[in-house]
Amino acid sequence: MTPLQLRFGVDVGGTRLKFAAVRQGRVIGRHVEPTPRTGVAALVKALADGCGALADAVGAAPTSIGLGVAGVLSHDGARVLQSPNMPWLDDAPLSALLATAMAVPVRAENDANCIGWGEARAGAGEGARRLACLALGTGLGGALVLDGWLVRGGRGRGAELGHLIVQADGPACGCGGRGCAEQFASQTGIARMAAETGWRPGIGLGPAALVPALLDAARDGDAIAAGITDRVGVVLGTLGARLDALFGLDRLIIAGGLCAGLDLFAPSATRAAAALSSLPLPPLVAASLGGDSGPVGAAMLFDAPTTAKA
Ligand SMILES: [Zn+2]
């Protein structure tokens, strides 16, 4: 990246569009817009308006824009094949529409891949050659960066680490499978386990409020809450050991809102991995870019060599 290049990245898919302006790997400006819910044209307009506001704030127009989109994208990122939060986006050529509106190159990628790429290039993954990133939020997103390549599969698949099965007879998952890691190591999974165990302080709370309360309770010695955070750790350790067996990882990055609970998850993760392998679990480290990792990774997509060109 030359000094003149100003990359904009946008996290698309939550209730807010989160923009970041990145120059030489550093965030120099941020902007937030509500995510419109009315259709593709409104979304493209909100993205263009947000980029315009960010350009005014940093005093320069972007040389490229990257989009991290929640959903399944075509292998080249040109089309959004399926978006669970924004079904009206299905089959939309989002990057081409924004490129026309902004007259700059636009590239799109799955949002979890952007989080992993941002952490790999400018966050907790710096210096690691082979890493997996697990983004624990509402669901469990995953990304693999191997020898400098952001790994992508064909048919809009690839690096769906949250849908690796950790319990064959486990709870049903939205992907159609059963016992996926996402059913445990996510806000949704923790809320389900809290309901199943009858954890009383969680009654009536949605997952976003329940999870911080449960992490606090586990730290205060609440046995049921600690049992749930142990279970999350076991799932992370199981996933980590299996991914390490496949790829020989240098580092396992835990991102997303739940990375605040890594101190609670790490002991049982280490124990679970030790039961599966004589080799130690790769270092578990918390993401270092916080809420910036998605937009930063999106901004840096133009520097991403990716697998799966077709
Ligand atoms: Zn699944």
Side-chain angles (χ1 to χ4, degrees):
M1 189 184 290
T2 68
L4 293 177
Q5 287 176 323
L6 177 64
R7 315 284 204 195
F8 281 10
V10 194
D11 188 16
V12 182
T15 54
R16 298 181 305 162
L17 302 170
K18 290 189 255 180
F19 299 73
V22 178
R23 181 171 270 154
Q24 292 188 296
R26 287 183 46 246
V27 177
I28 62 167
R30 296 178 182 81
H31 181 75
V32 174
E33 293 266 336
T35 304
R37 296 288 167 193
T38 48
V40 178
L43 178 61
V44 172
K45 181 175 187 308
L47 288 168
D49 288 350
C51 287
L54 185 56
D56 288 345
V58 301
T63 50
S64 66
I65 301 169
L67 305 175
V69 182
V72 178
L73 277 71
S74 59
H75 74 273
D76 56 0
R79 302 189 88 80
V80 180
L81 301 179
Q82 186 189 16
S83 175
N85 305 337
M86 298 172 285
W88 37 265
L89 254 185
D90 289 4
D91 211 33
L94 184 60
S95 34
L97 292 169
L98 186 61
T100 300
M102 295 296 295
V104 293
V106 177
R107 196 170 284 179
E109 179 57 78
N110 170 267
D111 58 344
N113 278 353
C114 288
I115 290 172
W117 186 242
E119 288 293 331
R121 294 297 301 264
E126 282 187 297
R129 293 192 59 185
R130 299 173 194 83
L131 63 86
C133 179
L134 299 171
L136 281 67
T138 306
L140 174 53
L144 283 170
V145 179
L146 303 176
D147 292 321
W149 292 73
L150 174 63
V151 175
R152 302 166 69 218
R155 299 173 288 120
R157 307 271 295 168
E160 292 286 356
L161 307 182
H163 296 289
L164 295 180
I165 293 165
V166 294
Q167 183 182 323
D169 59 348
C173 182
C175 73
R178 265 192 182 280
C180 297
E182 177 170 284
Q183 291 304 313
F184 304 92
S186 66
Q187 283 187 355
T188 312
I190 287 178
R192 179 185 56 75
M193 290 188 283
E196 284 176 0
T197 55
W199 187 64
R200 294 192 59 81
I203 292 171
L205 296 179
L210 182 148
V211 170
L214 187 134
L215 296 180
D216 285 347
R219 287 197 183 91
D220 288 343
D222 180 312
I224 295 178
I228 291 170
T229 56
D230 273 4
R231 183 75 181 118
V232 174
V234 166
V235 166
L236 294 179
T238 303
L239 261 190
R242 290 177 176 164
L243 293 170
D244 187 41
L246 278 170
F247 302 113
L249 298 175
D250 304 324
R251 211 167 293 172
L252 195 55
I253 296 174
I254 306 300
L258 278 176
C259 76
L262 182 56
D263 60 315
L264 296 165
F265 310 143
S268 56
T270 305
R271 279 198 306 276
L276 292 171
S277 170
S278 60
L279 298 173
L281 191 65
L284 277 175
V285 297
S288 65
L289 297 176
D292 282 341
S293 48
V296 166
M300 298 177 89
L301 284 174
F302 278 85
D303 306 312
T306 65
T307 58
K309 299 295 183 193

